[in-house]
Amino acid sequence: QALRQISQRTISTASRRQIENRVPEHQKLFQEDNGLPVHLKGGAKDALLYRTTMVVTVFGTMYTIYHLIVSSMPKKQK
């Protein structure tokens, strides 16, 4: 019975809260022609995420190439 009360309370309080629809604001932001690619129109957070992704990608590519070169060389016999 306690579980029923909790679930009813959660459902009833969720319906009272009104969430503001901000979709038109975001549509306007992403559709304006300001010369930026769409993946950078979100601001500083998008730019930071993009740069971080590029750094990780370049580092991973260089690391992979390095290990491919090292593993292709025969080990020296003692």
Side-chain angles (χ1 to χ4, degrees), residues 37 39-40 45-63:
H39 59 273
L40 295 177
K45 284 170 55 176
D46 280 352
L48 180 65
L49 183 61
Y50 174 74
R51 288 187 182 116
T52 304
T53 303
M54 288 298 110
V55 167
V56 169
T57 302
V58 168
F59 176 75
T61 302
M62 291 182 343
Y63 188 72

Side-chain angles (χ1 to χ4, degrees), residues 1-13:
Q1 187 153 5
L3 182 61
R4 181 181 290 166
Q5 266 186 330
I6 291 171
S7 66
Q8 286 176 346
R9 187 178 312 142
T10 304
I11 292 171
S12 65
T13 56

Side-chain angles (χ1 to χ4, degrees), residues 9-75:
R9 187 178 312 142
T10 304
I11 292 171
S12 65
T13 56
S15 64
R16 282 190 227 153
R17 285 186 239 142
Q18 291 295 322
I19 300 172
E20 181 184 350
N21 185 7
R22 294 178 30 200
V23 172
E25 295 172 28
H26 290 293
Q27 285 177 336
K28 198 178 296 183
L29 171 73
F30 285 101
Q31 289 177 353
E32 77 181 34
D33 188 19
N34 56 3
L36 288 174
V38 73
H39 59 273
L40 295 177
K41 285 190 177 188
K45 284 170 55 176
D46 280 352
L48 180 65
L49 183 61
Y50 174 74
R51 288 187 182 116
T52 304
T53 303
M54 288 298 110
V55 167
V56 169
T57 302
V58 168
F59 176 75
T61 302
M62 291 182 343
Y63 188 72
T64 302
I65 291 171
Y66 169 77
H67 275 283
L68 283 171
I69 291 170
V70 167
S71 63
S72 69
M73 302 291 177
K75 292 185 179 181

